[in-house]
Amino acid sequence: MGEGNISVTYWLAGGGCIGKIASFGILPVLREVAMPTRKINLTAEQDAFVEDIVRAGKYQDASEAIRDVLRGLQQRVQADDLQLELLRTQLKAGRDALDRGSFTEVNDADLDTALDGLSTTR
């Protein structure tokens, strides 16, 4: 560009350029941002569900609906990972307590009473 010209480029979060604006007249140069595509197989029931929610106006198209499903799956996987990490931490604390001798032995006859006591103290 020549001296005095300013160009600003706008980018999407995913990295795609959505346009440039020059100082001499605002002439946006918009281009479609390519998204990766995948072929997926759905059951007839799943396909009908996607069609129904798109037709009802809840999503603009099937791709938008499937992306929303994937976001939900990502959240569930993250929550599962956090729960697993918590269980591992609790397991380690229990093993450490055993190694230190910090535990109470309970005989079979008193087990139910001991377990009931644990549930009421939490």
Side-chain angles (χ1 to χ4, degrees):
M1 295 183 89
E3 187 174 303
N5 291 344
I6 298 172
S7 176
V8 179
T9 304
Y10 293 91
W11 296 89
L12 290 175
C17 173
I18 61 169
K20 290 185 178 185
I21 300 176
S23 62
F24 296 110
I26 298 179
L27 301 172
V29 180
L30 298 177
R31 64 180 177 174
E32 190 173 316
V33 178
M35 296 177 104
T37 59
R38 296 224 177 238
K39 178 183 176 197
I40 61 170
N41 297 314
L42 303 173
T43 65
E45 183 179 292
Q46 291 167 333
D47 185 54
F49 176 73
V50 171
E51 287 297 318
D52 289 346
I53 60 176
V54 170
R55 197 174 306 113
K58 294 180 181 181
Y59 296 95
Q60 290 183 9
D61 55 32
S63 292
E64 184 182 343
I66 297 301
R67 284 191 300 271
D68 190 38
V69 169
L70 288 173
R71 282 188 294 274
L73 176 59
Q74 286 173 318
Q75 290 172 349
R76 192 172 75 225
V77 167
Q78 288 173 349
D80 289 350
D81 289 347
L82 288 173
Q83 285 182 325
L84 184 57
E85 187 59 34
L86 177 62
L87 287 172
R88 286 181 175 143
T89 300
Q90 292 172 335
L91 181 61
K92 182 181 181 329
R95 286 182 178 160
D96 291 347
L98 284 173
D99 291 343
R100 289 188 315 271
S102 297
F103 60 90
T104 303
E105 285 192 46
V106 178
N107 63 36
D108 289 345
D110 298 330
L111 183 58
D112 287 336
T113 304
L115 292 174
D116 288 342
L118 289 174
S119 65
T120 59
T121 58
R122 288 187 178 188

